[in-house]
Amino acid sequence: MAAVALVSMCAAWPARAGWDEAVAAYNKGDYATAAREFRPFAEQDQLQAQFILGWIYQNGEGVPRDFAESAKWYAKVAAKGNADAQYALGSYYMSGAGVKRDDAEAAKWLRKAAEQGKAQAQYYLGYLLARGDGVARDEAEGARWTRKAAEQNVVDAQYALAIALANGTGVAKDEAEAATWFRKAAEGGNLDAAFLLGSHYERGIGVLASYPDAVKWYRVAADGGVADAQYHLGTLYRDGYGVDRNDAEAMKLFRKAAAADQPSVIGAVDEYLKRGKLDLATELGDALLAKHPDNLTLQLALTYAAAKEARAEPAKYAAVAKRYGEKAVALIEGGVRPAAMADAEWADAKTKWLPQLHTQLGQVAQSVGATDEARMRFERATTLDPQDPYGWYLLGQTWFADYQKLDAAAKTLDGTAKSDAVAKAFGKLDQVIDAYARAVATSERRDGMQSLAEPLLRDLTGLYEFRHGSRDGLDALVSRYRGS
């Protein structure tokens, strides 16, 4: 019973010196005077005054909030059998407000109040029993008390009962009844219940599947800040289920979920990447990386996707690929291991992902004519992974471009200068031949790359014959790298 209602009731009692003044002061909102006037009655063991002081100190009405003082007065009233005081005292022991936390003591007082029909006490008692906090764990008894509270319209109890029914905890599993209680709790303002009701409608659990109803309840929860609902509602807008397809609205919801650290949002990034919507994927990826800048897996996915697009549209996507790729390289080379990354993944990052990153960034550099950077990247990649045929092939390409420039320059010269320039050009061509030989040898034994061996060998053969006038020695060169 609220103190206001109790004071109003007490006002009808026979007048006693100071009592009417205390009641009048409380009803006028002059709580400081009310507290002062009620105290003598409380100290004379007057039940109502003791309860009112407990309430006043609990809420800080006219006095500094003091849960210990509140608990003291509630304890006196609870001992006399008052259910409201028993519930208040039990909740204090449960939370540790004003008293030392003690779940057993909480259960004792909550049971007394619950047995008198106090609905909130029934809910908390059911909670303690279901968990075994302060009492022997008894999910069935916990569910019974939870149901009693739910039937008295305690919204949290309605939600808890729905969860128990959905999981079969302490009761027979009943998804249809669970949905009914989720609805009651949602209608009572429980946002988690609204989300789960939306999920039930989306998946047809306990109710007929209905995307419009899923949208309705997800929206209630999403507007209330439930990140799971924001994400799931975003997927419905993205895919056009229950609403018109709307990427702008989907992204708005996904960004909110990302800001709340909802873990499934990375799945939305993956889906946009699969659909070729790189701009949306990077926008959402940036929102996630703002929260977790060490998310190496996400950095890699965005690097590879942007690098692929950069081959067709370098002006638009090369800078994007470089931004993500360089951050990923910095994380690995800087030894910044993501907290959630397993040992095996981190080992792969250093031995497999890092050389691949340099290869990707080298190709991006090639796409915008940054030859020096491309060469540097490919050289780094082949140093880190000398068994990658693609890295050697790409490095050979950059060296071949260097050879062509040197050869062209040599043709403009005469005499000794020309001879020196030709020798320098052939030295570069020897590097190209060596790189291609490595590419051929390693492609033959690298999974998924055997198909590269034949065209690579053709290119290599043509260059080798041009340089040496025959194929003599070519097999020996390739064989040297087959064994390395």
Side-chain angles (χ1 to χ4, degrees):
M1 179 186 296
V4 174
L6 187 140
V7 169
S8 298
M9 181 181 74
C10 291
W13 295 347
R16 285 171 285 181
W19 183 262
D20 288 343
E21 290 82 353
V23 171
Y26 191 95
N27 288 336
K28 286 192 302 180
D30 183 0
Y31 301 123
T33 298
R36 187 171 59 252
E37 295 292 340
F38 278 125
R39 182 172 287 276
F41 292 98
E43 289 171 346
Q44 294 171 32
D45 212 25
Q46 211 280 342
L47 176 78
Q48 290 76 17
Q50 289 172 340
F51 184 87
I52 293 169
L53 277 183
W55 177 271
I56 284 175
Y57 278 103
Q58 176 183 347
N59 294 285
E61 294 179 341
V63 294
R65 177 174 283 181
D66 188 333
F67 287 112
E69 185 71 8
S70 174
K72 180 185 81 173
W73 292 110
Y74 278 147
K76 293 178 182 294
V77 186
K80 297 170 188 173
N82 181 280
D84 291 307
Q86 289 167 345
Y87 160 65
L89 187 59
S91 66
Y92 279 7
Y93 277 111
M94 191 172 173
S95 66
V99 294
K100 183 179 180 180
R101 179 169 178 170
D102 186 332
D103 286 334
E105 195 70 10
K108 180 185 82 173
W109 290 108
L110 290 170
R111 184 178 289 278
K112 289 178 182 294
E115 288 172 346
Q116 295 190 66
K118 183 70 177 175
Q120 198 68 33
Q122 292 169 343
Y123 164 59
Y124 282 134
L125 179 60
Y127 175 84
L128 293 175
L129 285 162
R131 292 170 54 90
D133 291 343
V135 290
R137 185 172 184 174
D138 190 331
E139 292 175 343
E141 186 185 2
R144 287 195 295 274
W145 284 113
T146 301
R147 184 179 289 277
K148 287 178 181 293
E151 290 172 345
Q152 292 194 68
N153 294 319
V154 175
V155 173
D156 288 342
Q158 292 170 338
Y159 174 67
L161 179 59
I163 293 291
L165 287 161
N167 296 324
T169 306
V171 292
K173 185 172 182 175
D174 189 329
E175 291 171 340
E177 189 181 1
T180 297
W181 286 108
F182 278 132
R183 179 181 290 278
K184 289 181 182 292
E187 290 172 343
N190 187 298
L191 296 175
D192 290 326
F195 162 65
L196 289 175
L197 183 59
S199 179
H200 277 52
Y201 274 115
E202 182 180 4
R203 296 183 292 164
I205 299 176
V207 292
L208 290 175
S210 170
Y211 286 119
D213 282 315
V215 169
K216 170 187 172 182
W217 290 108
Y218 280 154
R219 174 58 71 184
V220 170
D223 288 348
V226 178
D228 286 340
Q230 292 164 347
Y231 169 71
H232 283 277
L233 183 58
T235 65
L236 296 183
Y237 272 102
R238 180 194 65 202
D239 300 334
Y241 292 143
V243 288
D244 291 336
R245 183 174 294 172
N246 187 331
D247 273 327
E249 182 63 20
M251 285 296 294
K252 185 170 91 171
L253 289 159
F254 287 146
R255 284 195 300 272
K256 287 182 178 180
D261 225 7
Q262 207 281 346
S264 297
V265 177
I266 196 167
V269 177
D270 289 339
E271 187 61 30
Y272 278 131
L273 289 176
K274 290 175 185 175
R275 298 183 185 191
K277 296 185 176 182
L278 181 59
D279 292 346
L280 295 178
T282 55
E283 180 184 343
L284 192 52
D286 286 342
L288 289 170
L289 291 168
K291 298 284 288 186
H292 298 284
D294 68 341
N295 189 326
L296 181 56
T297 303
L298 180 56
Q299 297 276 18
L300 289 168
L302 293 171
T303 299
Y304 295 150
K308 180 181 178 182
E309 295 298 322
R311 294 180 195 124
E313 296 185 75
K316 183 175 182 181
Y317 292 113
V320 177
K322 186 174 181 179
R323 174 163 62 93
Y324 291 119
E326 288 183 342
K327 287 180 180 178
V329 167
L331 287 173
I332 300 172
E333 293 188 342
V336 183
R337 175 178 173 173
M341 184 166 282
D343 291 346
E345 281 187 297
W346 182 237
D348 281 347
K350 292 183 287 185
T351 59
K352 297 179 182 178
W353 302 350
L354 182 58
Q356 290 174 16
L357 273 169
H358 280 294
T359 298
Q360 292 287 331
L361 289 172
Q363 290 181 281
V364 169
Q366 276 185 320
S367 72
V368 293
T371 307
D372 290 343
E373 182 182 353
R375 185 188 308 106
M376 178 273 291
R377 294 290 182 185
F378 296 141
E379 288 174 349
R380 180 70 175 138
T382 53
T383 299
L384 290 166
D385 184 5
Q387 299 303 313
D388 180 12
Y390 200 52
W392 286 113
Y393 175 66
L394 292 170
L395 179 56
Q397 283 188 321
T398 65
W399 284 342
F400 187 72
D402 291 341
Y403 158 73
Q404 288 179 311
K405 291 178 183 178
L406 291 170
D407 183 58
K411 290 176 181 177
T412 66
L413 302 173
D414 296 307
T416 303
K418 182 179 182 70
S419 299
D420 290 344
V422 169
K424 188 174 181 182
F426 277 152
K428 183 59 67 175
L429 185 58
D430 288 338
Q431 286 185 281
V432 176
I433 290 170
D434 190 75
Y436 280 13
R438 288 175 180 267
V440 169
T442 53
S443 66
E444 292 173 345
R445 63 177 182 269
R446 187 100 172 204
D447 290 343
M449 294 232 175
Q450 292 85 353
S451 61
L452 288 176
E454 186 175 341
L456 281 171
L457 183 56
R458 273 199 307 270
D459 289 345
L460 172 60
T461 301
L463 291 174
Y464 193 90
E465 288 183 332
F466 171 76
R467 175 71 175 92
H468 298 285
S470 73
R471 299 184 185 183
D472 294 344
L474 176 58
D475 288 343
L477 176 62
V478 174
S479 294
R480 185 199 314 168
Y481 294 121
R482 286 193 179 107
S484 60

